[in-house]
Amino acid sequence: MRAFFGSMTGRVFIVLLLGIVASAALTQWLAVGERTRAIERYRDFHALERAEQLITTADVLPAASRPTYLRVAGRGTVKLERTDLAMAKALPPTDFSTILQQRVGPTITLGPLAERPLECDQPRTSRDFFAPSQWRGTCETMTVQLTDGEIMKLSVLPPRSPPPAQHSEWLAMLPFLLSIAGLAYLVTRMTVRPLRTLAQAAKDLGNDINHPPVVLSGAAEIRQASAAFNAMQARIRQHIQQRTEMLAAITHDLQTPLTRMRLRLEKVRDEELQQRLIDDLSAMQQMVKEGLDLARSMDSSETMQALDLDALLDSVCSDATDVGQSVELRGRAAMALMGRPLAIRRCLMNLIDNAVKYGHYAHVSVERLVGAARIRIRDGGPGIDQDQMARVFEPFYRVESSRSRASGGTGLGLTIARNIAEQHGGSVVLANHAEGGLEVTLVVPEYYAGR
């Protein structure tokens, strides 16, 4: 769950959901407010009609019949009742009393009272979440002096509260919230899917520069971004190809003059000088050879195919043993690897050769992880200082203790191995083993058919 809300999909979903809920809540608040004002206006009009009816009817009835009429007619929220109060002093008329005075005529006198009914301030229950908690319409009392001089009190009270709901308001809103959440999720998927496609294309580009371009589909902006991504991929592929071809051409062309130099060195009379020059020339030829290997390691034109990792490791270790190297293989991965056969083989051979060259032997172990395989290659050498762990992957960089001609090497073996591993979505990590020696860990992803 944390991973979902931490992703862009989760963030867009939350922002969109909160935005829709906030907009719906604002719309509901405005609608409830307008409906409440309409109810208040209708209630005030009804109270005005009822008050006029009560007053005019009581005014034409004989004084003896009024108590019976008032007892029957005064059961609603507009009540007219007899009182012992004197006529109210001249208080400022209210809007309600002004309109009512115009309706009943000048023969009847109305006097607003300062007192406010207790019912006006009592909280009201409502089934609507945004409804006000108190009645905001007309709620007041006034004295009424009839034509014959009798004084009565008119009370205009709030309407009765509706009966309590049989179900929770939140339960009634649940389908609405679920539909909003579903809509937000669908919109989020439609929005994020093109970005996820571009992210996957970028990942595939890192593993295979010759991966097919992104299909142009979707909105105009997405098609434009996809087209820009495809153009970038083509430019990167062109630059890598040009650099690889240039490096391969240089290293290849250098082999011819180096061969001529070796032939001419045979004519040198001084045997000691001849041997030194031959050693230097051999080192140069080795550098040219590994430079060509480096160029090939950056070439991704070889076809990707499913490989049996156990069979590949067994073949590489057997070949190393056949040439006299001390190599031991343990464990099984029992998984397939999607890769370029020659490139993967070169990566493993470089790591094993490096272990044997500087550590006298190579103990190779393989184990299967979740979605990957981990290959450990341990040697018996002195290891590498911690501050040089990252630098040994730089082209032509060699640890100080390995700079003698007897050890051979040009500092390109680990660079080539890491290039090949990264092209296949893997990684190469170095560490000094607790029991001595250097341990190289190669992690490669598992291949799933149909994915």
Side-chain angles (χ1 to χ4, degrees):
M1 185 64 69
R2 180 179 299 178
F4 173 76
F5 290 110
S7 64
M8 185 175 181
T9 303
R11 294 178 181 178
V12 173
F13 173 75
I14 289 298
V15 172
L16 187 59
L17 179 61
L18 293 179
I20 296 178
V21 171
S23 299
L26 178 61
T27 303
Q28 182 70 9
W29 178 70
L30 294 174
V32 170
E34 181 61 29
R35 185 178 62 187
T36 302
R37 286 188 292 271
I39 293 175
E40 290 171 355
R41 290 193 296 268
Y42 173 79
R43 176 61 183 171
D44 290 348
F45 176 78
H46 175 74
L48 190 63
E49 293 284 335
R50 181 61 176 166
E52 178 186 3
Q53 181 184 14
L54 288 175
I55 293 174
T56 53
T57 304
D59 186 61
V60 298
L61 286 176
S65 302
R66 286 173 184 168
T68 304
Y69 168 71
L70 295 178
R71 186 170 56 255
V72 174
R75 295 178 180 177
T77 55
V78 181
K79 299 180 179 181
L80 183 64
E81 52 189 348
R82 305 180 73 177
T83 181
D84 297 332
L85 297 175
M87 190 64 186
K89 298 181 180 179
L91 295 177
T94 61
D95 294 339
F96 185 84
S97 65
T98 300
I99 298 176
L100 183 59
Q101 182 67 70
Q102 295 173 357
R103 285 178 170 242
V104 298
T107 58
I108 300 175
T109 304
L110 304 180
L113 294 174
E115 66 179 79
R116 180 179 175 86
L118 298 177
E119 292 85 351
C120 298
D121 300 322
Q122 290 181 354
R124 297 174 52 82
T125 59
S126 176
R127 283 176 287 186
D128 203 312
F129 185 75
F130 297 99
S133 59
Q134 290 185 348
W135 174 252
R136 298 179 301 188
T138 301
C139 185
E140 58 185 88
T141 58
M142 64 187 71
T143 54
V144 179
Q145 185 175 8
L146 302 179
T147 304
D148 60 1
E150 185 177 0
I151 298 176
M152 295 188 177
K153 185 174 75 170
L154 176 69
S155 300
V156 181
L157 305 178
R160 297 183 180 92
S161 298
Q166 299 298 323
H167 54 79
S168 172
E169 181 183 358
W170 291 106
L171 187 61
M173 292 179 63
L174 184 60
F176 172 72
L177 295 176
L178 291 177
S179 62
I180 286 182
L183 176 62
Y185 181 73
L186 291 177
V187 173
T188 300
R189 287 197 59 182
M190 293 174 57
T191 304
V192 177
R193 185 183 302 162
L195 300 179
R196 188 175 297 167
T197 302
L198 286 178
Q200 183 62 39
K203 181 179 178 181
D204 295 338
L205 175 63
N207 297 333
D208 182 11
I209 192 63
N210 294 316
H211 194 274
V214 180
V215 179
L216 302 182
S217 61
E221 294 80 3
I222 300 300
R223 293 197 303 271
Q224 183 178 1
S226 300
F229 183 87
N230 292 338
M232 178 193 68
Q233 179 181 0
R235 289 194 298 269
I236 293 176
R237 183 166 53 239
Q238 182 181 8
H239 292 163
I240 292 178
Q241 183 178 1
Q242 290 176 350
R243 187 182 67 173
T244 303
E245 291 176 352
M246 179 182 64
L247 182 57
I250 292 175
T251 54
H252 182 270
D253 293 344
L254 281 175
Q255 290 181 355
T256 300
L258 288 175
T259 302
R260 289 199 302 263
M261 290 177 63
R262 177 176 287 275
L263 293 176
R264 291 171 182 172
L265 281 176
E266 299 295 334
K267 300 179 181 181
V268 176
R269 300 297 182 182
D270 189 338
E271 293 183 0
E272 183 180 357
L273 176 61
Q274 183 189 47
Q275 187 59 43
R276 289 181 180 179
L277 292 175
I278 291 176
D279 291 343
D280 289 338
L281 189 59
S282 298
M284 293 176 63
Q285 287 179 322
Q286 182 66 21
M287 291 180 64
V288 170
K289 177 181 178 298
E290 294 198 11
L292 186 59
D293 290 339
L294 177 62
R296 289 170 178 168
S297 72
M298 295 182 293
D299 183 14
S300 57
S301 59
E302 187 182 359
T303 304
M304 301 279 287
Q305 56 183 281
L307 306 173
D308 187 332
L309 183 57
D310 292 325
L312 181 61
L313 278 172
D314 184 70
S315 174
V316 172
C317 292
S318 297
D319 291 346
T321 303
D322 291 342
V323 297
Q325 293 181 335
S326 178
V327 179
E328 178 186 353
L329 175 62
R330 293 178 297 178
R332 289 182 59 83
M335 60 165 263
L337 165 68
M338 176 59 70
R340 304 178 184 90
L342 295 180
I344 291 293
R345 189 179 186 86
R346 185 182 300 119
C347 173
L348 294 171
M349 290 176 59
N350 281 8
L351 295 178
I352 292 176
D353 288 344
N354 198 70
V356 174
K357 187 181 299 181
Y358 302 114
H360 312 297
Y361 62 82
H363 289 172
V364 182
S365 63
V366 58
E367 60 180 331
R368 185 171 181 175
L369 306 176
V370 179
R374 179 166 58 195
I375 305 169
R376 291 191 175 102
I377 303 174
R378 181 188 169 194
D379 60 40
I384 300 177
D385 293 339
Q386 193 65 34
D387 58 347
Q388 295 185 352
M389 287 289 186
R391 297 199 61 190
V392 294
F393 289 106
E394 299 176 5
F396 301 106
Y397 179 82
R398 296 174 61 195
V399 182
E400 291 294 333
S401 61
S402 66
R403 288 186 179 273
S404 66
R405 289 177 179 169
S407 66
T410 58
L412 290 176
L414 289 178
T415 305
I416 294 172
R418 186 180 65 172
N419 286 348
I420 295 174
E422 290 180 349
Q423 287 180 4
H424 290 78
S427 62
V428 177
V429 179
L430 305 182
N432 291 317
H433 198 274
E435 299 178 2
L438 182 69
E439 185 176 69
V440 181
T441 302
L442 170 63
V443 178
V444 290
E446 183 176 2
Y447 166 66
Y448 296 95
R451 188 183 67 174

mmCIF file of all heavy atoms in Angstrom, residues 19-50:
data_model
loop_
_atom_site.group_PDB
_atom_site.id
_atom_site.type_symbol
_atom_site.label_atom_id
_atom_site.label_comp_id
_atom_site.label_asym_id
_atom_site.label_seq_id
_atom_site.Cartn_x
_atom_site.Cartn_y
_atom_site.Cartn_z
ATOM 1 N N GLY A 19 -9.650 16.122 -5.279
ATOM 2 C CA GLY A 19 -10.213 17.229 -6.056
ATOM 3 C C GLY A 19 -11.669 17.011 -6.394
ATOM 4 O O GLY A 19 -12.493 17.927 -6.277
ATOM 5 N N ILE A 20 -12.003 15.782 -6.817
ATOM 6 C CA ILE A 20 -13.402 15.491 -7.158
ATOM 7 C C ILE A 20 -14.284 15.552 -5.925
ATOM 8 O O ILE A 20 -15.387 16.107 -5.954
ATOM 9 C CB ILE A 20 -13.499 14.112 -7.837
ATOM 10 C CG1 ILE A 20 -12.754 14.114 -9.170
ATOM 11 C CG2 ILE A 20 -14.953 13.718 -8.048
ATOM 12 C CD1 ILE A 20 -12.752 12.776 -9.878
ATOM 13 N N VAL A 21 -13.802 14.976 -4.810
ATOM 14 C CA VAL A 21 -14.580 14.998 -3.569
ATOM 15 C C VAL A 21 -14.780 16.428 -3.088
ATOM 16 O O VAL A 21 -15.883 16.819 -2.658
ATOM 17 C CB VAL A 21 -13.896 14.145 -2.489
ATOM 18 C CG1 VAL A 21 -14.570 14.347 -1.137
ATOM 19 C CG2 VAL A 21 -13.949 12.673 -2.867
ATOM 20 N N ALA A 22 -13.732 17.254 -3.166
ATOM 21 C CA ALA A 22 -13.852 18.652 -2.741
ATOM 22 C C ALA A 22 -14.833 19.412 -3.631
ATOM 23 O O ALA A 22 -15.660 20.198 -3.145
ATOM 24 C CB ALA A 22 -12.477 19.326 -2.762
ATOM 25 N N SER A 23 -14.755 19.168 -4.955
ATOM 26 C CA SER A 23 -15.700 19.830 -5.869
ATOM 27 C C SER A 23 -17.128 19.379 -5.597
ATOM 28 O O SER A 23 -18.063 20.199 -5.581
ATOM 29 C CB SER A 23 -15.314 19.518 -7.321
ATOM 30 O OG SER A 23 -14.015 19.989 -7.607
ATOM 31 N N ALA A 24 -17.314 18.069 -5.371
ATOM 32 C CA ALA A 24 -18.657 17.566 -5.067
ATOM 33 C C ALA A 24 -19.172 18.126 -3.747
ATOM 34 O O ALA A 24 -20.360 18.476 -3.623
ATOM 35 C CB ALA A 24 -18.643 16.038 -5.029
ATOM 36 N N ALA A 25 -18.280 18.219 -2.744
ATOM 37 C CA ALA A 25 -18.691 18.760 -1.450
ATOM 38 C C ALA A 25 -19.079 20.227 -1.579
ATOM 39 O O ALA A 25 -20.074 20.682 -0.987
ATOM 40 C CB ALA A 25 -17.568 18.585 -0.433
ATOM 41 N N LEU A 26 -18.294 21.014 -2.359
ATOM 42 C CA LEU A 26 -18.633 22.428 -2.556
ATOM 43 C C LEU A 26 -19.958 22.569 -3.286
ATOM 44 O O LEU A 26 -20.800 23.410 -2.917
ATOM 45 C CB LEU A 26 -17.508 23.107 -3.345
ATOM 46 C CG LEU A 26 -17.723 24.583 -3.688
ATOM 47 C CD1 LEU A 26 -17.871 25.412 -2.413
ATOM 48 C CD2 LEU A 26 -16.585 25.110 -4.548
ATOM 49 N N THR A 27 -20.169 21.739 -4.306
ATOM 50 C CA THR A 27 -21.437 21.790 -5.044
ATOM 51 C C THR A 27 -22.605 21.422 -4.134
ATOM 52 O O THR A 27 -23.667 22.072 -4.160
ATOM 53 C CB THR A 27 -21.384 20.827 -6.245
ATOM 54 O OG1 THR A 27 -20.275 21.180 -7.082
ATOM 55 C CG2 THR A 27 -22.659 20.893 -7.050
ATOM 56 N N GLN A 28 -22.420 20.397 -3.313
ATOM 57 C CA GLN A 28 -23.471 19.987 -2.391
ATOM 58 C C GLN A 28 -23.758 21.071 -1.365
ATOM 59 O O GLN A 28 -24.923 21.334 -1.018
ATOM 60 C CB GLN A 28 -23.062 18.687 -1.696
ATOM 61 C CG GLN A 28 -24.094 18.124 -0.730
ATOM 62 C CD GLN A 28 -25.327 17.589 -1.423
ATOM 63 O OE1 GLN A 28 -25.351 17.490 -2.658
ATOM 64 N NE2 GLN A 28 -26.347 17.238 -0.654
ATOM 65 N N TRP A 29 -22.687 21.720 -0.881
ATOM 66 C CA TRP A 29 -22.870 22.798 0.105
ATOM 67 C C TRP A 29 -23.657 23.953 -0.494
ATOM 68 O O TRP A 29 -24.571 24.499 0.142
ATOM 69 C CB TRP A 29 -21.496 23.263 0.580
ATOM 70 C CG TRP A 29 -21.557 24.403 1.546
ATOM 71 C CD1 TRP A 29 -22.000 24.374 2.833
ATOM 72 C CD2 TRP A 29 -21.188 25.760 1.288
ATOM 73 N NE1 TRP A 29 -21.926 25.623 3.403
ATOM 74 C CE2 TRP A 29 -21.423 26.498 2.479
ATOM 75 C CE3 TRP A 29 -20.677 26.411 0.175
ATOM 76 C CZ2 TRP A 29 -21.163 27.866 2.566
ATOM 77 C CZ3 TRP A 29 -20.402 27.781 0.261
ATOM 78 C CH2 TRP A 29 -20.657 28.485 1.441
ATOM 79 N N LEU A 30 -23.326 24.330 -1.734
ATOM 80 C CA LEU A 30 -24.070 25.409 -2.389
ATOM 81 C C LEU A 30 -25.511 25.004 -2.654
ATOM 82 O O LEU A 30 -26.443 25.809 -2.464
ATOM 83 C CB LEU A 30 -23.382 25.791 -3.705
ATOM 84 C CG LEU A 30 -21.987 26.425 -3.574
ATOM 85 C CD1 LEU A 30 -21.367 26.626 -4.949
ATOM 86 C CD2 LEU A 30 -22.065 27.752 -2.832
ATOM 87 N N ALA A 31 -25.724 23.746 -3.077
ATOM 88 C CA ALA A 31 -27.083 23.280 -3.366
ATOM 89 C C ALA A 31 -27.927 23.232 -2.097
ATOM 90 O O ALA A 31 -29.096 23.654 -2.087
ATOM 91 C CB ALA A 31 -27.028 21.899 -4.028
ATOM 92 N N VAL A 32 -27.332 22.717 -1.004
ATOM 93 C CA VAL A 32 -28.075 22.652 0.256
ATOM 94 C C VAL A 32 -28.382 24.052 0.772
ATOM 95 O O VAL A 32 -29.477 24.326 1.287
ATOM 96 C CB VAL A 32 -27.271 21.839 1.299
ATOM 97 C CG1 VAL A 32 -27.902 21.971 2.682
ATOM 98 C CG2 VAL A 32 -27.218 20.375 0.882
ATOM 99 N N GLY A 33 -27.411 24.963 0.614
ATOM 100 C CA GLY A 33 -27.659 26.333 1.048
ATOM 101 C C GLY A 33 -28.786 26.988 0.281
ATOM 102 O O GLY A 33 -29.651 27.656 0.870
ATOM 103 N N GLU A 34 -28.817 26.794 -1.040
ATOM 104 C CA GLU A 34 -29.891 27.377 -1.851
ATOM 105 C C GLU A 34 -31.236 26.725 -1.529
ATOM 106 O O GLU A 34 -32.265 27.412 -1.440
ATOM 107 C CB GLU A 34 -29.551 27.195 -3.334
ATOM 108 C CG GLU A 34 -30.577 27.785 -4.284
ATOM 109 C CD GLU A 34 -30.726 29.289 -4.095
ATOM 110 O OE1 GLU A 34 -29.731 29.945 -3.690
ATOM 111 O OE2 GLU A 34 -31.840 29.794 -4.345
ATOM 112 N N ARG A 35 -31.219 25.410 -1.306
ATOM 113 C CA ARG A 35 -32.468 24.726 -0.954
ATOM 114 C C ARG A 35 -32.971 25.195 0.410
ATOM 115 O O ARG A 35 -34.180 25.385 0.601
ATOM 116 C CB ARG A 35 -32.232 23.220 -0.943
ATOM 117 C CG ARG A 35 -33.502 22.406 -0.702
ATOM 118 C CD ARG A 35 -33.203 20.937 -0.752
ATOM 119 N NE ARG A 35 -32.265 20.542 0.299
ATOM 120 C CZ ARG A 35 -31.732 19.331 0.387
ATOM 121 N NH1 ARG A 35 -32.019 18.413 -0.524
ATOM 122 N NH2 ARG A 35 -30.895 19.046 1.368
ATOM 123 N N THR A 36 -32.057 25.394 1.353
ATOM 124 C CA THR A 36 -32.462 25.872 2.680
ATOM 125 C C THR A 36 -33.079 27.261 2.593
ATOM 126 O O THR A 36 -34.104 27.548 3.245
ATOM 127 C CB THR A 36 -31.239 25.889 3.620
ATOM 128 O OG1 THR A 36 -30.695 24.566 3.698
ATOM 129 C CG2 THR A 36 -31.642 26.371 5.005
ATOM 130 N N ARG A 37 -32.447 28.129 1.780
ATOM 131 C CA ARG A 37 -33.018 29.485 1.633
ATOM 132 C C ARG A 37 -34.392 29.436 0.966
ATOM 133 O O ARG A 37 -35.299 30.202 1.330
ATOM 134 C CB ARG A 37 -32.061 30.360 0.820
ATOM 135 C CG ARG A 37 -30.820 30.780 1.600
ATOM 136 C CD ARG A 37 -30.012 31.802 0.837
ATOM 137 N NE ARG A 37 -29.406 31.233 -0.365
ATOM 138 C CZ ARG A 37 -28.217 30.650 -0.388
ATOM 139 N NH1 ARG A 37 -27.517 30.540 0.739
ATOM 140 N NH2 ARG A 37 -27.726 30.184 -1.511
ATOM 141 N N ALA A 38 -34.556 28.514 0.001
ATOM 142 C CA ALA A 38 -35.876 28.394 -0.639
ATOM 143 C C ALA A 38 -36.921 27.901 0.356
ATOM 144 O O ALA A 38 -38.064 28.391 0.379
ATOM 145 C CB ALA A 38 -35.776 27.438 -1.827
ATOM 146 N N ILE A 39 -36.543 26.945 1.208
ATOM 147 C CA ILE A 39 -37.471 26.450 2.229
ATOM 148 C C ILE A 39 -37.819 27.556 3.216
ATOM 149 O O ILE A 39 -38.983 27.691 3.645
ATOM 150 C CB ILE A 39 -36.857 25.234 2.942
ATOM 151 C CG1 ILE A 39 -36.750 24.054 1.971
ATOM 152 C CG2 ILE A 39 -37.683 24.843 4.159
ATOM 153 C CD1 ILE A 39 -36.050 22.843 2.561
ATOM 154 N N GLU A 40 -36.828 28.351 3.588
ATOM 155 C CA GLU A 40 -37.084 29.441 4.540
ATOM 156 C C GLU A 40 -38.042 30.472 3.940
ATOM 157 O O GLU A 40 -38.965 30.956 4.616
ATOM 158 C CB GLU A 40 -35.763 30.102 4.929
ATOM 159 C CG GLU A 40 -34.871 29.222 5.799
ATOM 160 C CD GLU A 40 -33.490 29.818 5.988
ATOM 161 O OE1 GLU A 40 -33.212 30.874 5.356
ATOM 162 O OE2 GLU A 40 -32.690 29.253 6.757
ATOM 163 N N ARG A 41 -37.834 30.806 2.654
ATOM 164 C CA ARG A 41 -38.746 31.770 2.017
ATOM 165 C C ARG A 41 -40.166 31.203 1.917
ATOM 166 O O ARG A 41 -41.147 31.922 2.170
ATOM 167 C CB ARG A 41 -38.218 32.135 0.622
ATOM 168 C CG ARG A 41 -36.956 32.990 0.637
ATOM 169 C CD ARG A 41 -36.680 33.561 -0.741
ATOM 170 N NE ARG A 41 -36.392 32.520 -1.711
ATOM 171 C CZ ARG A 41 -35.171 32.072 -1.991
ATOM 172 N NH1 ARG A 41 -34.118 32.575 -1.348
ATOM 173 N NH2 ARG A 41 -34.988 31.121 -2.889
ATOM 174 N N TYR A 42 -40.250 29.919 1.549
ATOM 175 C CA TYR A 42 -41.570 29.305 1.463
ATOM 176 C C TYR A 42 -42.222 29.240 2.832
ATOM 177 O O TYR A 42 -43.432 29.511 2.968
ATOM 178 C CB TYR A 42 -41.457 27.901 0.880
ATOM 179 C CG TYR A 42 -42.761 27.141 0.913
ATOM 180 C CD1 TYR A 42 -43.758 27.380 -0.029
ATOM 181 C CD2 TYR A 42 -42.988 26.177 1.899
ATOM 182 C CE1 TYR A 42 -44.946 26.687 0.013
ATOM 183 C CE2 TYR A 42 -44.180 25.474 1.939
ATOM 184 C CZ TYR A 42 -45.151 25.736 0.988
ATOM 185 O OH TYR A 42 -46.346 25.049 1.028
ATOM 186 N N ARG A 43 -41.450 28.915 3.871
ATOM 187 C CA ARG A 43 -41.997 28.832 5.218
ATOM 188 C C ARG A 43 -42.451 30.209 5.707
ATOM 189 O O ARG A 43 -43.517 30.326 6.345
ATOM 190 C CB ARG A 43 -40.926 28.247 6.151
ATOM 191 C CG ARG A 43 -41.341 28.209 7.615
ATOM 192 C CD ARG A 43 -42.558 27.355 7.826
ATOM 193 N NE ARG A 43 -42.985 27.386 9.211
ATOM 194 C CZ ARG A 43 -44.119 26.869 9.648
ATOM 195 N NH1 ARG A 43 -44.939 26.271 8.796
ATOM 196 N NH2 ARG A 43 -44.441 26.932 10.918
ATOM 197 N N ASP A 44 -41.657 31.241 5.410
ATOM 198 C CA ASP A 44 -42.062 32.590 5.810
ATOM 199 C C ASP A 44 -43.359 33.014 5.120
ATOM 200 O O ASP A 44 -44.248 33.629 5.734
ATOM 201 C CB ASP A 44 -40.955 33.590 5.481
ATOM 202 C CG ASP A 44 -39.733 33.415 6.374
ATOM 203 O OD1 ASP A 44 -39.845 32.684 7.386
ATOM 204 O OD2 ASP A 44 -38.671 33.988 6.068
ATOM 205 N N PHE A 45 -43.478 32.648 3.843
ATOM 206 C CA PHE A 45 -44.715 32.983 3.124
ATOM 207 C C PHE A 45 -45.901 32.224 3.714
ATOM 208 O O PHE A 45 -46.988 32.792 3.896
ATOM 209 C CB PHE A 45 -44.543 32.653 1.637
ATOM 210 C CG PHE A 45 -45.789 32.872 0.832
ATOM 211 C CD1 PHE A 45 -46.182 34.157 0.453
ATOM 212 C CD2 PHE A 45 -46.601 31.793 0.460
ATOM 213 C CE1 PHE A 45 -47.335 34.347 -0.287
ATOM 214 C CE2 PHE A 45 -47.745 31.992 -0.272
ATOM 215 C CZ PHE A 45 -48.120 33.269 -0.649
ATOM 216 N N HIS A 46 -45.693 30.949 4.012
ATOM 217 C CA HIS A 46 -46.764 30.160 4.613
ATOM 218 C C HIS A 46 -47.137 30.711 5.993
ATOM 219 O O HIS A 46 -48.338 30.779 6.347
ATOM 220 C CB HIS A 46 -46.319 28.703 4.737
ATOM 221 C CG HIS A 46 -47.291 27.840 5.451
ATOM 222 N ND1 HIS A 46 -48.476 27.413 4.886
ATOM 223 C CD2 HIS A 46 -47.281 27.319 6.730
ATOM 224 C CE1 HIS A 46 -49.135 26.677 5.742
ATOM 225 N NE2 HIS A 46 -48.440 26.597 6.885
ATOM 226 N N ALA A 47 -46.127 31.102 6.793
ATOM 227 C CA ALA A 47 -46.405 31.661 8.118
ATOM 228 C C ALA A 47 -47.158 32.975 8.001
ATOM 229 O O ALA A 47 -48.050 33.281 8.830
ATOM 230 C CB ALA A 47 -45.090 31.854 8.888
ATOM 231 N N LEU A 48 -46.816 33.756 6.977
ATOM 232 C CA LEU A 48 -47.517 35.020 6.764
ATOM 233 C C LEU A 48 -48.982 34.781 6.418
ATOM 234 O O LEU A 48 -49.892 35.448 6.965
ATOM 235 C CB LEU A 48 -46.814 35.800 5.645
ATOM 236 C CG LEU A 48 -47.245 37.255 5.439
ATOM 237 C CD1 LEU A 48 -46.925 38.098 6.665
ATOM 238 C CD2 LEU A 48 -46.562 37.833 4.208
ATOM 239 N N GLU A 49 -49.232 33.819 5.540
ATOM 240 C CA GLU A 49 -50.608 33.496 5.180
ATOM 241 C C GLU A 49 -51.376 32.964 6.386
ATOM 242 O O GLU A 49 -52.544 33.348 6.623
ATOM 243 C CB GLU A 49 -50.599 32.431 4.071
ATOM 244 C CG GLU A 49 -50.041 32.900 2.744
ATOM 245 C CD GLU A 49 -51.034 33.782 1.996
ATOM 246 O OE1 GLU A 49 -52.246 33.647 2.243
ATOM 247 O OE2 GLU A 49 -50.592 34.596 1.172
ATOM 248 N N ARG A 50 -50.733 32.107 7.173
ATOM 249 C CA ARG A 50 -51.398 31.514 8.338
ATOM 250 C C ARG A 50 -51.682 32.562 9.398
ATOM 251 O O ARG A 50 -52.776 32.578 10.014
ATOM 252 C CB ARG A 50 -50.503 30.405 8.912
ATOM 253 C CG ARG A 50 -51.088 29.684 10.117
ATOM 254 C CD ARG A 50 -52.387 29.009 9.790
ATOM 255 N NE ARG A 50 -52.885 28.252 10.928
ATOM 256 C CZ ARG A 50 -54.120 27.784 11.029
ATOM 257 N NH1 ARG A 50 -54.997 27.977 10.029
ATOM 258 N NH2 ARG A 50 -54.501 27.096 12.080
#
